[in-house]
Amino acid sequence: MYEDMTYETIMREMMEDMPDDVDTSEGSLIFNACAKQAVRLEEAYLLLSGLEQNMYADTADLEHLIRNGNERGVYINEATYAEFTTQFNCAVPEGSRWNYDEYNYTVFNVISEEEHTYRIGCDSPGSEPNRMLGDLEPIEFVDGFEWGRILKCTLEATDQEEVESYRARILNTYNYRGFAGNREYYKSRIKEMSGVYGCKLNRVSAPEDKIAITIIGSDYRTPSNDVINAVQTEVDPVVNSGDGVGIAPIGHRVIISGVGETEVNIKTNITYDSGYSYEDLKSYITKAVDNYLLELRKKWEDSNAIVVRILQIESAIVQIDGVIDVVGTTINDSEQNLQITNGTVPVRGDITCT
């Protein structure tokens, strides 16, 4: 709205408004006096432009987008914290703090006193620590400590919701109104829950009338059992199904399940540039295939079928530096594109390159 109100424009208009007998040349008394005001006015117009943009959800920055969303009852999915199973050579105090790499951890409670296994949580939110397994070092002295290691991640953390995904959810509230358990009500409420990126609803008539809701989780893959159980409890607890204890209205019996996965096994023939081999480019090929399948999974919520195309796989691989050509690609031992119509999502299986 105020893009044209620059210092130059303001100065030109101010000088044009001066009487003809006043010297308005650069360096004159009136020019210098107005120049200071023009700078301040340009700053004021920039602030007004920012205020105008942040008033509306389609142009607001993240801080003001969150405030817009709060007014609509649409809250951003904050980053969550990962939990792990760890083992030590000795008993360690609950609440003791530990370090691995760049992350710190806190011991929550004991799992097995005999085996010295404990449940710990990462102090930093976000998904980065999920797959970081290694040796722990105490932040403060622990009597008898010799070694400690992270064995496995028992509750994966999630990153804060992407800005554009959150913006889309807010804008969607202006087009649809969810109420009394209609389809949009369920979709909007469930997608606000931690670890859920999308969902599909179906009605199941037999053996009894129920609402079947399938959710897709982190990395647009099958969510963990913890996420599925948490969503089930919040929507329609199993022990009180149909009683309206969760967000589902009285009479709605809801079954929550995670999306299934279809493994995509790829075989292909690659011609490499001089000095390159499959071992050199293996990680790049894997990443290229993963990125393509991720884009397909992102379309799951709004698609009745997903097609994994051989042409797209070859196109993704051939763009890697060191690859000259890709031919003879098969998916699950078939020379045809893979059509997924059973509601599952494609995930990478084995990649065989010759």
Side-chain angles (χ1 to χ4, degrees):
M1 179 179 290
Y2 305 106
E3 294 83 1
D4 296 334
M5 301 307 295
T6 62
Y7 167 82
E8 290 77 11
T9 300
I10 295 170
M11 281 296 296
R12 184 177 64 254
E13 292 179 352
M14 294 174 75
M15 294 301 98
E16 289 175 351
D17 288 341
M18 294 297 168
D20 294 338
D21 58 347
V22 175
D23 181 11
T24 59
S25 62
E26 186 173 350
S28 65
L29 182 63
I30 193 66
F31 185 95
N32 290 339
C34 290
K36 290 184 176 292
Q37 303 307 314
V39 170
R40 294 297 186 183
L41 285 171
E42 183 182 36
E43 292 175 352
Y45 279 118
L46 288 173
L47 289 172
L48 286 172
S49 180
L51 289 172
E52 190 260 342
Q53 288 185 355
N54 286 321
M55 287 173 59
Y56 304 101
D58 60 337
T59 54
D61 59 29
L62 179 59
E63 178 186 353
H64 293 86
L65 186 65
I66 291 174
R67 296 178 67 177
N68 271 276
N70 292 345
E71 290 182 349
R72 302 287 300 177
V74 181
Y75 306 101
I76 192 167
N77 292 323
E78 300 284 355
T80 59
Y81 297 83
E83 294 183 8
F84 303 85
T85 296
T86 57
Q87 186 176 32
F88 299 89
N89 69 291
C90 63
V92 301
E94 294 184 11
S96 58
R97 302 186 65 242
W98 303 78
N99 173 264
Y100 170 59
D101 201 358
E102 60 185 294
Y103 295 102
N104 295 330
Y105 302 81
T106 301
V107 173
F108 291 155
N109 60 270
V110 63
I111 297 174
S112 170
E113 293 181 353
E114 293 77 14
E115 298 180 357
H116 302 309
T117 54
Y118 293 81
R119 183 174 69 95
I120 70 169
C122 183
D123 294 350
S124 302
S127 63
E128 188 64 28
N130 288 347
R131 292 169 178 80
M132 297 184 64
L133 307 179
D135 295 330
L136 291 167
E137 294 294 335
I139 294 177
E140 299 176 350
F141 176 76
V142 175
D143 187 30
F145 169 78
E146 295 179 0
W147 57 265
R149 63 178 63 94
I150 302 174
L151 300 180
K152 64 177 179 179
C153 179
T154 54
L155 178 61
E156 290 193 350
T158 57
D159 295 319
Q160 179 174 279
E161 183 176 8
E162 294 180 0
V163 175
E164 294 310 314
S165 172
Y166 181 50
R167 192 190 308 277
R169 287 203 294 117
I170 295 174
L171 294 175
N172 195 48
T173 65
Y174 292 91
N175 300 323
Y176 302 98
R177 293 186 61 85
F179 63 91
N182 69 353
R183 183 176 292 270
E184 184 57 34
Y185 168 83
Y186 277 114
K187 292 183 69 173
S188 61
R189 291 297 300 273
I190 290 174
K191 289 170 71 173
E192 292 174 358
M193 298 177 188
S194 177
V196 179
Y197 289 82
C199 63
K200 286 185 177 182
L201 285 75
N202 291 290
R203 229 174 130 175
V204 180
S205 300
E208 51 186 314
D209 200 21
K210 290 185 177 181
I211 302 169
I213 300 180
T214 305
I215 60 175
I216 190 168
S218 300
D219 299 327
Y220 297 89
R221 296 187 61 169
T222 302
S224 67
N225 288 331
D226 289 332
V227 171
I228 295 172
N229 293 335
V231 174
Q232 179 71 66
T233 300
E234 193 164 347
V235 175
D236 184 32
V238 175
V239 293
N240 304 107
S241 184
D243 291 342
V245 176
I247 67 170
I250 293 177
H252 284 209
R253 298 171 63 83
V254 181
I255 305 171
I256 304 294
S257 61
V259 65
E261 297 181 349
T262 295
E263 197 170 74
V264 179
N265 299 302
I266 298 169
K267 293 181 181 178
T268 189
N269 299 296
I270 299 177
T271 302
Y272 301 98
D273 201 352
S274 177
Y276 290 92
S277 67
Y278 173 65
E279 291 302 322
D280 298 326
L281 303 179
K282 181 178 180 180
S283 62
Y284 297 98
I285 294 171
T286 299
K287 184 177 180 180
V289 172
D290 283 343
N291 288 341
Y292 170 57
L293 297 180
L294 175 60
E295 290 303 314
L296 293 179
R297 294 198 298 271
K298 287 182 177 181
K299 302 174 183 178
W300 169 81
E301 186 179 20
D302 300 315
S303 304
N304 293 323
I306 294 176
V307 181
V308 184
R309 302 185 185 280
I310 291 175
L311 179 62
Q312 294 296 329
I313 292 174
E314 292 181 340
S315 176
I317 296 175
V318 81
Q319 294 182 51
I320 299 171
D321 290 340
V323 174
I324 295 177
D325 197 11
V326 183
V327 296
T329 303
T330 63
I331 299 176
N332 294 347
D333 294 324
S334 172
E335 297 179 355
Q336 304 297 319
N337 295 330
L338 175 63
Q339 296 192 34
I340 303 175
T341 58
N342 60 357
T344 61
V345 292
V347 297
R348 174 175 53 82
D350 296 327
I351 299 179
T352 304
C353 300
T354 58

